[in-house]
């Protein structure tokens, strides 16, 4: 029975960990390599702020009491990225999947947040 509980917990957190493994390197890249060229905004301060925003959103996403706020922030960020990709004519299908996976991961962890009372 204990193995089943551990496996259940692991499978519940696995999608969230995969999402985090995408967002944290992205945030650190924006902070540490803030003078990126070819971006829609090439201002280093904006890139650093975006990186800090992502790190804060990831922390909120991982903490169980603020998972809804973190999910909202991450989904909002990635929705803006989808719009930017559409504007620039880049492929945007993967970014849409990341938005959906972020929402799905928080739903798996706390499904009661998505049900009306």
């Amino acid at each position: 029975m204990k193995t089943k509980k551990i496996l259940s917990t692991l499978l519940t957190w696995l999608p969230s960990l995969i999402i985090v493994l995408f967002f944290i390197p992205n945030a650190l890249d924006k902070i540490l390599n803030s003078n990126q060229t070819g971006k829609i905004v090439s201002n280093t301060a904006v890139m650093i702020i975006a990186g800090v925003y992502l790190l804060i959103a990831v922390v909120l996403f991982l903490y169980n009491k603020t998972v809804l706020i973190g999910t909202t922030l991450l989904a909002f960020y990635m929705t803006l990225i989808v719009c930017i990709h559409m504007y620039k004519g880049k492929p945007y299908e993967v970014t849409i999947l990341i938005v959906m996976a972020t929402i799905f991961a928080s739903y798996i962890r706390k499904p009661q947040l998505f049900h009306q009372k």
Side-chain angles (χ1 to χ4, degrees):
M1 196 61 153
K2 185 175 180 169
T3 307
K4 186 177 180 181
K5 174 106 171 116
I6 292 171
L7 185 62
S8 173
T9 303
L10 179 68
L11 290 176
T12 301
W13 276 91
L14 188 63
S16 296
L17 294 176
I18 293 170
I19 294 297
V20 166
L21 287 176
F22 169 77
F23 280 113
I24 287 183
N26 190 350
L28 291 176
D29 185 46
K30 288 186 184 327
I31 292 171
L32 300 175
N33 187 18
S34 59
N35 55 354
Q36 299 176 4
T37 59
K39 300 290 181 180
I40 200 151
V41 176
S42 58
N43 188 348
T44 59
V46 173
M47 295 301 277
I48 291 172
I49 290 170
V52 171
Y53 172 88
L54 279 176
L55 287 178
I56 291 170
V58 165
V59 169
L60 292 173
F61 176 73
L62 287 176
Y63 188 58
N64 259 345
K65 292 186 178 185
T66 59
V67 67
L68 188 61
I69 297 168
T71 302
T72 304
L73 294 175
L74 291 175
F76 175 71
Y77 171 79
M78 284 309 292
T79 302
L80 290 176
I81 299 301
V82 168
C83 294
I84 290 170
H85 279 218
M86 291 172 78
Y87 173 75
K88 291 183 100 178
K90 290 183 174 181
Y92 55 88
E93 292 82 6
V94 174
T95 53
I96 291 175
L97 288 176
I98 294 169
V99 173
M100 291 170 37
T102 303
I103 296 168
F104 177 71
S106 67
Y107 176 76
I108 287 178
R109 282 183 31 218
K110 292 197 85 112
Q112 64 270 21
L113 292 176
F114 293 88
H115 296 291
Q116 289 184 348
K117 296 177 183 175

